[in-house]
Amino acid sequence: MVRHQCACKILQPTNTSPDTIAGGGCFDAEETGRKTIGGCMKDSGEDRCSGKGRCGNCGGKTAGTFGPCVLSQLSQSGVEMKGWTESKFLLSCNKNPLCWVTELHHPGEGGKTAGGNSANTTKSAKPAPQKKDNSSVAASERKGGDRQTDKDRKKDVPHPRMQFDDENRVEKAKKRSVVKQAEARNRVELFRHLPQYEHGARLTDLESKFFQLGPVHPAVYKVGFRYLTGDISGGNARCIAMLQAFQESIKDYSTPPEKTLIRDLTSKINCYVSFLIECRPLSISMGNAIRFLKRRITSLPLNLSESEAITSLVSDIDRFINEKIILADNVIVKHAVTKIRDGDVLLTYASSSAVEMLLLHAHELGKRFRVVIVDSRPKLEGKMLLRRLVGKGISCTYTHINAVSYVMHEVTRVFLGASSVLANGTVYSRVGTACVAMVAHQFRVPVLICCEAYKFHERVQLDSICCNELGDAEMVSRVTGREDINSLDGWTSSENLQPLNLLYDATPSDYVSMIITDYGMIPPTSVPVIVREYGREYLLI
Amino acid sequence: MWYRSASFILDKQEQQRKDAAESRPLSLVSTAMTENPGANVSMYYETRAAHHGVVTSDWLAQAQAAVAGNADDAAVENNASGGEEKGKKFSVVDEFNNWRKQPELAEAVAAIRALASVIRSSQAKTMMELEIELKKASDSLKSWDTTSISLTAGCDIFMRYVTRTSALDREDFGSAKSRLLERAEKFGEISYKARRIIAMLSQDFIFDGCTILVHGFSRVVLEALRTAAENKKLFRVLCTEGRPDRSGLRVSNELAKLDVPVKLLIDSAVAYSMDEVDMVLVGADGVVESGGIINMMGTYQIALVAKAMNKPMYVAAESYKFARLYPLDQKDMAPALRPIDFGVPIPSKVEVERSARDYTPPQYLTLLFTDLGVLTPSVVSDELIQLYL
């Protein structure tokens, strides 16, 4: 690690080539008359400019946190920055080795970076996830000067996601990414801000990289792999798999020398999260679980020994899975069966684990009802649900989503699952859910959403476009089992054809009659109440 | 909706054939009881009917005075007997019935007062015992009439309010018990005064020259209108007849005494007169978690008409009526049946819809006037979550 001098003068520079500038710190407001850049982000592990000028580690005067914003800051202050690019960021007082080093390089000197060695790749892997799943650095560019180091407040505010139509950042992200992605061809303009990669090449690429992915624990790797292939799907399943993989990695964790457990573990988790994002973008339930885990890690008392801390974290994860997912499902089922009467015709869409549990439980209680399962291409998830329900002896009807308005007249209740429920009561769920809910509303059929409370999020979304996930476009053009339908073969060569495979959509709260959570049955207008009252609780347990 | 599906019609016919086969020997008996097959009549609505016979407010005042005297005596007796015989003779249902006889007192308030007196006269020595006693009393009150929502809700809220205090952590049982009693009586006071508060809040909404449509006999609404009349506001009231309770007749009686111009409509004339109405004001038997209300049969109809014609609908309900129910449609509630007298005998084959109440979903309600303030329907769930969770 190249050490530069920090203005708290703790360390002497080891490499003072005139071609590199030690970024950071000395820009005290009094000295230079402009806002300081600084504030070592040791707690949050983020790379935003905080504008405070105190090293969060040692409290010493300077630790500068740079992002790309340092270029604009320095150039504002009159320093001649033309031609300089930044290669890494995060500089702070190196009294504590966790504060990082930034360098700025003149492109003239070529590859003389502290980077380029393996130490650099690991470091660059870690900032990348921070950037991707934390802040939008563009936002911090503009606000670099006046962002406060109010770490709690920052943690609470959900971070804007990375927008993939911003060329600069996509380039940078690509340089730092662990998994090389090939961008899909024929991208739809409206969804340019969402990542879309070619699915075919990724698997083999990932396989070949297995032994080089040092920082990623094999359990996490395995889970990421399974996400990529689509083996694990569904909010609860993905969340549980991810948490269990993290559990494994924490069990195998040992603090490297000269590092503290909290910060190192947090950065490791960030690294795993970035890897998982590259396999498949996070669902909101997974995001909430990760926030929970990070909160638990940072709130570990400092005097705990390593093994105690590890066992505490492992048991916390177990408790989260148990209380927030498994027991919550039981409570939901208990509430929801009271809404099923004898003689009901229930409709459900695709496959939701909560709804499946509910139907099986109601059948065990001896209620007489029948189920209409509505399914849609390309995932056809309803088929598995159909198989399981028929296996238990429930009479089912199976139909495609085209026919939903045809069957809706005889339906008495609609039960849907959700990937998340947002603060304005909007239900974010598998694509097609909004359609089913709208038709049900038109037919005056009550729509009941079964969703665990840990999936609630304080974000507000008004449409399905700003935040979504794009699946494999190839699956839209090909119909499995019907090889004779091949009119869309060769779509990649056609410029005018842009297949779109959306995975999620947003159902407005007007179509939802009731949301059944582990806190009881609530109207959709009460979701922010639950988030407000119990948001603290589950983060702190 | 689902009746249209062929499979269900067949199922139903099957069911009817089976029932007919089983009940043939009983048919003779049943024909005799066509008019009032009141096997599962709701006590709550019976009580209201008894109160709403042909009663004037003078009679009311006298009855109240008489009953107050009775209640005091009865209370004294009960306490005395409780003191003598270890409290076993103290029956919370008796106490409740005593309070209930006052026509001006809401049922839930009577229950709350009864439960408060349970605490007062309890012989328990530990907190656990007291809580168990309270729970038992509350359960017995609730089971006395399972169809009354405000009774159930009132008891539940009372239990939450009283036991949700840190005072219970005090070691001294005597002080904890007195704290509980204090809270119980305070809650009783608040509930009793709720009507006044609601009447004050609704004054802002009754403007000079307005026409108010009233449905059902709600003492809260009456209090609000009485206050408005006393404040010399000029307004006019249309009230529906309210069959089969004839509640409209009572309301018109009362209002006529206050010199408020009142016009009686038959229930079917609501849509006809909705043009000249400025607002609809009703009470509620219960306010459910979605923000909707359960009220006398006919409220939903009026709400639909008001919404179609863009007239605001206001509900005056005390906060102890907030219940943890969530009906999805009209049939999703526990049935509350009451006898309906058509005046002429009806053949036994003809079914009669005897439900006494209906559910109005929250999208048809504009505002709720409660003792917590003037609220929108979505706040009900907020309050319930804060109280219960």
Side-chain angles (χ1 to χ4, degrees):
Chain A
M1 193 160 69
V2 176
R3 290 164 191 242
H4 294 263
Q5 183 172 42
C6 170
C8 64
K9 310 266 190 299
I10 304 294
L11 293 174
Q12 300 303 315
T14 57
N15 181 359
T16 45
S17 147
D19 282 337
T20 61
I21 294 183
C26 329
F27 306 118
D28 192 26
E30 288 107 75
E31 286 176 1
T32 59
R34 60 179 174 77
K35 283 210 190 112
T36 51
I37 319 165
C40 160
M41 313 299 282
K42 64 156 172 136
D43 279 337
S44 55
E46 292 152 12
D47 62 332
R48 269 178 270 152
C49 242
S50 65
K52 277 293 189 277
R54 284 215 158 259
C55 175
N57 274 342
C58 63
K61 231 186 191 180
T62 59
T65 324
F66 282 41
C69 54
V70 67
L71 286 176
S72 53
Q73 292 279 359
L74 287 175
S75 57
Q76 271 170 22
S77 65
V79 176
E80 181 53 62
M81 295 307 302
K82 202 160 84 146
W84 289 83
T85 62
E86 50 83 45
S87 70
K88 279 194 299 188
F89 38 84
L90 269 189
L91 171 88
S92 68
C93 151
N94 279 322
K95 186 163 79 161
N96 185 320
L98 273 184
C99 301
W100 295 33
V101 174
T102 290
E103 303 187 321
L104 294 170
H105 296 283
H106 198 283
E109 63 179 19
K112 188 206 171 274
T113 62
N117 54 15
S118 58
N120 192 27
T121 18
T122 51
K123 295 238 172 3
S124 59
K126 288 187 219 172
Q130 294 157 12
K131 200 160 66 131
K132 266 198 199 172
D133 64 340
N134 293 334
S135 72
S136 142
V137 183
S140 66
E141 262 173 1
R142 270 156 239 138
K143 297 191 246 175
D146 31 279
R147 189 174 285 274
Q148 307 142 299
T149 41
D150 188 0
K151 309 237 168 52
D152 283 344
R153 200 179 65 90
K154 265 187 288 210
K155 278 185 188 124
D156 290 350
V157 170
H159 306 293
R161 291 157 169 231
M162 172 147 165
Q163 305 289 57
F164 284 81
D165 44 2
D166 183 346
E167 283 302 326
N168 283 341
R169 278 180 299 114
V170 170
E171 290 305 312
K172 281 176 210 142
K174 265 204 219 159
K175 272 191 261 173
R176 293 186 177 98
S177 70
V178 177
V179 179
K180 285 285 168 263
Q181 312 269 20
E183 277 201 10
R185 289 160 273 183
N186 298 44
R187 299 180 62 171
V188 178
E189 273 309 309
L190 192 60
F191 291 95
R192 272 212 167 261
H193 60 286
L194 299 173
Q196 178 153 32
Y197 302 113
E198 249 178 51
H199 275 61
R202 280 209 285 181
L203 240 48
T204 44
D205 203 46
L206 212 55
E207 278 173 340
S208 59
K209 277 235 172 77
F210 179 54
F211 292 104
Q212 296 162 20
L213 291 171
V216 178
H217 189 272
V220 176
Y221 177 79
K222 191 163 84 167
V223 157
F225 207 67
R226 295 180 74 184
Y227 286 166
L228 199 51
T229 54
D231 276 352
I232 306 184
S233 85
N236 282 345
R238 286 171 71 190
C239 189
I240 294 181
M242 176 189 77
L243 284 177
Q244 285 175 340
F246 283 171
Q247 236 182 359
E248 288 299 318
S249 71
I250 291 179
K251 279 188 200 153
D252 293 341
Y253 175 75
S254 60
T255 322
E258 289 190 344
K259 295 200 186 189
T260 61
L261 177 134
I262 294 181
R263 275 166 236 128
D264 188 55
L265 190 54
T266 309
S267 54
K268 267 206 148 49
I269 299 282
N270 286 337
C271 166
Y272 300 155
V273 168
S274 80
F275 171 72
L276 290 178
I277 290 178
E278 285 164 16
C279 294
R280 188 177 162 188
L282 292 184
S283 69
I284 297 184
S285 57
M286 291 165 72
N288 285 348
I290 292 170
R291 267 204 292 180
F292 155 77
L293 183 59
K294 283 197 187 167
R295 272 274 176 99
R296 294 307 295 164
I297 294 177
T298 54
S299 68
L300 282 175
L302 291 167
N303 55 357
L304 276 190
S305 77
E306 184 181 311
S307 57
E308 281 175 5
I310 287 181
T311 40
S312 143
L313 281 177
V314 165
S315 75
D316 278 340
I317 292 181
D318 268 334
R319 206 153 51 112
F320 183 87
I321 293 180
N322 206 28
E323 281 178 15
K324 298 293 170 192
I325 306 182
I326 299 180
L327 287 180
D329 273 342
N330 290 345
V331 174
I332 289 175
V333 166
K334 195 172 65 105
H335 283 299
V337 284
T338 57
K339 291 297 175 195
I340 301 183
R341 308 163 298 191
D342 281 344
D344 264 344
V345 180
L346 309 176
L347 186 137
T348 183
Y349 176 71
S351 165
S352 159
S353 52
V355 174
E356 186 183 332
M357 286 177 63
L358 161 66
L359 295 173
L360 293 176
H361 189 245
H363 187 68
E364 274 168 36
L365 288 180
K367 303 209 178 204
R368 294 182 305 115
F369 58 92
R370 64 185 177 88
V371 179
V372 178
I373 302 176
V374 176
D375 205 2
S376 74
R377 279 202 68 234
K379 284 209 157 197
L380 289 175
E381 291 167 325
K383 274 198 180 148
M384 294 312 300
L385 175 65
L386 174 70
R387 187 165 300 186
R388 287 191 283 262
L389 290 184
V390 170
K392 295 282 182 183
I394 302 177
S395 32
C396 299
T397 308
Y398 179 80
T399 178
H400 197 255
I401 193 169
N402 294 345
V404 70
S405 55
Y406 179 77
V407 296
M408 192 57 83
H409 74 274
E410 51 181 43
V411 172
T412 58
R413 301 262 192 273
V414 175
F415 280 95
L416 298 172
S419 171
S420 163
V421 182
L422 307 176
N424 59 342
T426 306
V427 176
Y428 188 72
S429 182
R430 177 68 67 222
V431 65
T433 311
C435 202
V436 173
M438 187 165 63
V439 174
H441 183 252
Q442 199 55 33
F443 279 81
R444 313 278 284 166
V445 175
V447 174
L448 292 81
I449 307 287
C450 302
C451 178
E452 299 84 359
Y454 84 99
K455 287 180 180 166
F456 288 1
H457 199 267
E458 60 264 16
R459 196 173 84 203
V460 169
Q461 200 172 323
L462 300 174
D463 56 37
S464 310
I465 299 176
C466 59
C467 270
N468 209 320
E469 189 184 327
L470 294 176
D472 191 3
E474 188 65 30
M475 302 191 55
V476 170
S477 56
R478 223 173 344 113
V479 183
T480 52
R482 295 289 303 276
E483 304 309 333
D484 50 321
I485 300 178
N486 54 4
S487 25
L488 284 183
D489 282 351
W491 59 269
T492 46
S493 53
S494 158
E495 278 173 15
N496 291 331
L497 187 58
Q498 293 154 355
L500 178 65
N501 184 6
L502 280 179
L503 289 182
Y504 291 106
D505 69 13
T507 309
S509 61
D510 309 330
Y511 300 150
V512 175
S513 311
M514 169 202 296
I515 302 183
I516 308 177
T517 75
D518 41 327
Y519 290 110
M521 299 187 277
I522 59 173
T525 47
S526 288
V527 170
V529 177
I530 300 275
V531 171
R532 178 188 83 210
E533 303 275 329
Y534 299 100
R536 300 271 144 259
E537 182 201 271
Y538 85 71
L539 285 180
L540 300 173
I541 281 198
Chain B
M1 306 164 283
W2 51 283
Y3 280 119
R4 288 165 58 186
S5 163
S7 57
F8 278 103
I9 296 181
L10 283 177
D11 282 344
K12 199 141 191 281
Q13 285 178 351
E14 190 63 46
Q15 190 67 27
Q16 280 174 349
R17 255 179 270 132
K18 254 191 260 169
D19 287 345
E22 283 164 21
S23 67
R24 200 139 299 151
L26 301 172
S27 62
L28 291 172
V29 180
S30 61
T31 43
M33 317 187 337
T34 44
E35 294 233 30
N36 288 330
N40 35 5
V41 167
S42 159
M43 298 273 289
Y44 176 61
Y45 290 96
E46 282 293 292
T47 317
R48 290 185 78 90
H51 279 161
H52 308 162
V54 182
V55 161
T56 64
S57 57
D58 305 320
W59 183 94
L60 257 184
Q62 285 174 355
Q64 196 156 348
V67 171
N70 272 348
D72 285 337
D73 294 336
V76 166
E77 274 175 33
N78 273 336
N79 279 338
S81 65
E84 286 167 11
E85 303 171 44
K86 296 289 177 190
K88 291 254 170 75
K89 287 252 168 146
F90 180 81
S91 162
V92 67
V93 179
D94 286 343
E95 179 80 5
F96 171 61
N97 281 330
N98 282 331
W99 283 110
R100 222 170 42 88
K101 290 206 186 78
Q102 297 184 22
E104 274 302 296
L105 207 58
E107 217 172 45
V109 180
I112 289 166
R113 290 253 169 95
L115 287 175
S117 57
V118 165
I119 301 183
R120 195 183 306 126
S121 60
S122 148
Q123 304 287 326
K125 298 283 180 302
T126 66
M127 195 44 66
M128 227 23 225
E129 229 181 292
L130 181 58
E131 281 185 33
I132 293 178
E133 224 176 280
L134 255 185
K135 185 97 187 15
K136 253 198 336 208
S138 156
D139 284 342
S140 69
L141 273 180
K142 282 195 272 191
S143 61
W144 177 83
D145 178 13
T146 48
T147 61
S148 167
I149 297 178
S150 62
L151 183 59
T152 318
C155 289
D156 282 339
I157 292 187
F158 176 84
M159 295 295 294
R160 292 294 299 178
Y161 186 80
V162 158
T163 56
R164 223 181 164 210
T165 159
S166 56
L168 293 183
D169 296 337
R170 288 194 211 151
E171 294 161 7
D172 176 17
F173 174 65
S175 73
K177 178 173 167 179
S178 62
R179 179 96 180 99
L180 271 191
L181 195 57
E182 205 182 301
R183 280 176 80 82
E185 302 205 317
K186 185 165 140 215
F187 191 57
E189 274 309 296
I190 295 177
S191 311
Y192 185 62
K193 294 205 179 103
R195 274 195 210 146
R196 290 288 327 142
I197 301 175
I198 295 175
M200 307 289 286
L201 286 173
S202 49
Q203 294 312 300
D204 284 333
F205 290 84
I206 303 178
F207 50 89
D208 276 333
C210 72
T211 306
I212 307 179
L213 178 65
V214 170
H215 178 72
F217 181 71
S218 162
R219 291 164 282 197
V220 186
V221 169
L222 220 65
E223 178 85 21
L225 295 178
R226 194 177 293 137
T227 318
E230 282 164 14
N231 289 345
K232 306 274 184 280
K233 292 222 176 150
L234 304 169
F235 60 97
R236 178 165 90 102
V237 174
L238 303 180
C239 60
T240 55
E241 183 194 2
R243 288 219 62 219
D245 290 348
R246 292 178 292 158
S247 56
L249 305 179
R250 279 215 64 200
V251 173
S252 50
N253 244 334
E254 295 299 317
L255 289 174
K257 271 195 217 78
L258 298 169
D259 284 333
V260 173
V262 64
K263 183 165 164 186
L264 261 183
L265 313 166
I266 54 170
D267 296 334
S268 340
V270 166
Y272 176 82
S273 325
M274 191 55 87
D275 271 342
E276 48 185 50
V277 162
D278 289 313
M279 66 171 97
V280 182
L281 186 56
V282 294
D285 287 338
V287 181
V288 296
E289 199 158 357
S290 58
I293 57 165
I294 298 186
N295 199 16
M296 179 171 147
M297 181 64 83
T299 313
Y300 186 31
Q301 231 160 264
I302 295 181
L304 283 170
V305 176
K307 183 78 175 200
M309 300 212 184
N310 249 333
K311 308 286 179 186
M313 177 146 178
Y314 301 127
V315 175
E318 301 95 318
S319 63
Y320 55 75
K321 288 182 175 160
F322 289 5
R324 286 220 87 186
L325 299 169
Y326 202 137
L328 289 173
D329 50 32
Q330 301 303 322
K331 307 291 188 301
D332 207 5
M333 305 177 285
L337 308 172
R338 54 173 320 243
I340 300 189
D341 178 19
F342 287 106
V344 288
I346 305 182
S348 58
K349 271 191 296 202
V350 175
E351 265 185 73
V352 176
E353 177 61 62
R354 289 182 300 125
S355 178
R357 60 193 181 187
D358 62 18
Y359 164 65
T360 308
Q363 54 259 36
Y364 301 106
L365 307 175
T366 321
L367 289 175
L368 302 175
F369 301 154
T370 72
D371 46 303
L372 302 170
V374 176
L375 312 172
T376 58
S378 41
V379 176
V380 175
S381 177
D382 197 335
E383 292 291 329
L384 282 174
I385 289 176
Q386 286 181 4
L387 190 57
Y388 279 100
L389 292 175

